[in-house]
Amino acid sequence: MIQRLCTGLIESSLHAKKVIILSGARQTGKTTLLKSLFDRHTDSVIWFNGDELDVQELFAKLSAQRFKAYIGEKKTVVIDEAQRISDIGLRLKVLADSLPDIQIIATGSSSFDLANSVNEPLTGRKREFRLFPLSFKELVSHTDLLTEKRMLPHRLVFGSYPEVVTSEGREVAVLKELSQSYLYKDILSFEKIRRSDKLVKLLQALAWQLGSQVSYSELAQTCAMDAKTVEHYITVLEQAFIIFRLSTFSRNLRNELKNSRKVYFYDNGIRNAVIADFSPIEKRRDVGALWENYLISERVKLNAYTAKWTNSWFWRTKEQQEIDYLEEQDGTLHAYECKWSDAAAQKARLPLTFSRAYPDAKFSVISPGNVEDFLL
């Protein structure tokens, strides 16, 4: 079993009189992580599945006394797919206030209801963690650095979902199942979204524009929707942990773009499943976009798992000078260019316009040859 990086963070937060919220896309291993965490203490843990109707009914009629009778002497309560339970935030608040010695852990595969409904009721009473598809750092700890660097062309095509990684030779079949059976399960149930054909078309359009700036109005024309609906659907896709947005950095220059954004996928395999293209890296024209998506999504994972507090952007001017990725930490700017080719990496330079405007910024080019500097 691959050791997940956030296991230690969760373990150190147990029994601190806080509700633990563990969110992330379906099939990223939330339940597996928790079971491994409690494998030596199974007698002290009780599990509830929010997908089950009787569990939903139990919580609908919840009282602290009745719940205490259900759990008996158990010290830890795990509620899987908690977003399926109506008013889950208020339910968890009742339990947290009435049973302070019981550790409550709620997992959710979307932030539609879970995050939105627990934030206000559980203010000051919760610790939140995110679980992503397997990270480069996790895979290196399971194998070794050389092996994972050799696997980079494979990861760029098939991604790093746990079942994909452990199903050598069956990656396409697994990704097809993931994308068709799980990808839209929470999305289509949210606000009764029915036009799945348009949602799929929008996701495909975003996949084709990977690494490029996106325009809501252009996407609206492509998908035969209005721009507000496009923006709403993109927010929904974010809340389902399928994509995330990166906004543009602008402070000093008149010609810096100020309201642009890019959209990235949390997993390369899901992106390629959306457009049904699993051709090898050597035959692809989008390898640069795949490498950029991989690096930035992996950096998001690393920052989350190491509790690194940063601001993130891309940078571009009206003259199309561009930097792939910017981070700011403790007042210092770090600029990164993503280059799959080592030859291209050697030629990459920081745009003069940027270096003059931000002379204290640090600059790095990330290629397969030095990827560990960025992701470990």
Side-chain angles (χ1 to χ4, degrees):
M1 182 181 295
I2 300 174
Q3 182 67 30
R4 303 310 302 264
L5 284 177
C6 65
T7 303
L9 294 173
I10 295 173
E11 192 169 22
S12 65
S13 301
L14 292 173
H15 298 289
K17 300 187 184 301
K18 301 280 187 181
V19 175
I20 292 175
I21 308 295
L22 178 60
S23 60
R26 287 182 179 270
Q27 305 298 303
T28 50
K30 297 183 295 295
T31 303
T32 301
L33 183 155
L34 293 176
K35 286 184 176 179
S36 69
L37 190 61
F38 298 115
D39 62 350
R40 297 182 182 178
H41 308 283
T42 55
D43 292 341
S44 65
V45 182
I46 186 169
W47 297 74
F48 295 94
N49 187 343
D51 279 329
E52 297 175 352
L53 291 178
D54 57 344
V55 171
Q56 295 173 17
E57 292 173 359
L58 167 64
F59 278 85
K61 303 173 182 177
L62 185 68
S63 69
Q65 293 78 12
R66 186 182 180 199
F67 196 74
K68 180 61 177 173
Y70 268 95
I71 66 175
E73 298 300 316
K74 307 291 187 181
K75 298 299 182 184
T76 302
V77 174
V78 178
I79 308 168
D80 258 338
E81 302 301 340
Q83 81 276 1
R84 298 293 189 190
I85 298 171
S86 178
D87 296 323
I88 184 60
L90 292 174
R91 311 300 179 193
L92 293 176
K93 179 182 182 298
V94 169
L95 297 180
D97 290 346
S98 304
L99 305 170
D101 295 327
I102 302 299
Q103 177 62 67
I104 301 168
I105 303 175
T107 80
S109 59
S110 73
S111 61
F112 302 139
D113 299 306
L114 185 59
N116 295 334
S117 64
V118 303
N119 281 338
E120 185 174 345
L122 290 179
T123 300
R125 298 177 175 89
K126 60 182 171 64
R127 287 289 310 276
E128 296 185 69
F129 302 94
R130 286 277 305 278
L131 192 65
F132 303 90
L134 293 168
S135 71
F136 179 81
K137 187 179 180 74
E138 288 169 328
L139 290 166
V140 166
S141 68
H142 182 66
T143 56
D144 56 72
L145 178 58
L146 180 59
T147 297
E148 277 311 304
K149 291 181 78 166
R150 287 172 174 170
M151 289 296 291
L152 284 174
H154 195 80
R155 304 287 184 235
L156 262 60
V157 175
F158 298 109
S160 304
Y161 265 78
E163 190 178 356
V164 172
V165 170
T166 58
S167 300
E168 188 175 353
R170 295 187 57 255
E171 293 90 347
V172 173
V174 172
L175 280 166
K176 183 177 180 181
E177 175 70 16
L178 282 172
S179 61
Q180 293 182 353
S181 299
Y182 297 105
L183 192 60
Y184 306 110
K185 184 173 182 179
D186 292 306
I187 300 172
L188 298 180
S189 66
F190 179 57
E191 292 189 357
K192 299 181 180 179
I193 291 176
R194 304 269 181 213
R195 298 302 301 274
S196 60
D197 55 337
K198 290 191 175 181
L199 189 65
V200 172
K201 193 170 185 178
L202 173 61
L203 201 54
Q204 289 173 336
L206 293 171
W208 286 116
Q209 294 187 34
L210 192 67
S212 301
Q213 295 173 85
V214 297
S215 163
Y216 295 150
S217 58
E218 290 179 5
L219 288 169
Q221 290 180 353
T222 300
C223 303
M225 293 187 285
D226 63 82
K228 288 186 178 180
T229 301
V230 166
E231 185 173 6
H232 173 65
Y233 276 15
I234 287 176
T235 299
V236 170
L237 290 166
E238 275 191 311
Q239 291 175 319
F241 309 121
I242 296 169
I243 63 172
F244 61 96
R245 280 175 278 195
L246 201 63
S247 59
T248 188
F249 174 86
S250 175
R251 287 183 183 169
N252 293 336
L253 305 178
R254 287 186 177 182
N255 65 340
E256 288 176 328
L257 298 183
K258 296 175 172 57
N259 298 307
S260 297
R261 80 279 302 165
K262 291 184 177 182
V263 172
Y264 295 94
F265 283 69
Y266 278 111
D267 185 76
N268 277 40
I270 293 297
R271 182 267 181 178
N272 290 328
V274 166
I275 61 173
D277 185 357
F278 297 106
S279 56
I281 284 298
E282 293 77 11
K283 296 182 179 181
R284 303 186 73 112
R285 295 183 180 181
D286 58 353
V287 62
L290 288 174
W291 180 238
E292 182 179 327
N293 189 87
Y294 176 81
L295 286 178
I296 294 175
S297 62
E298 287 293 325
R299 187 70 171 188
V300 168
K301 299 176 191 177
L302 181 68
N303 288 344
Y305 288 153
T306 56
K308 186 178 179 182
W309 189 260
T310 64
N311 295 314
S312 302
W313 309 271
F314 73 97
W315 178 84
R316 193 171 188 180
T317 66
K318 295 176 183 177
E319 293 76 26
Q320 298 187 354
Q321 292 179 307
E322 186 171 1
I323 297 173
D324 292 331
Y325 183 67
L326 284 175
E327 272 188 0
E328 184 180 48
Q329 185 179 28
D330 299 329
T332 301
L333 276 174
H334 300 260
Y336 298 96
E337 277 291 293
C338 309
K339 299 296 183 184
W340 176 249
S341 162
D342 287 332
Q346 292 175 2
K347 296 178 182 178
R349 298 291 184 270
L350 192 65
L352 188 59
T353 302
F354 183 89
S355 61
R356 286 175 174 172
Y358 309 102
D360 296 328
K362 301 179 183 298
F363 177 61
S364 300
V365 182
I366 310 301
S367 70
N370 68 339
V371 64
E372 63 271 23
D373 296 339
F374 191 59
L375 298 182
L376 291 182

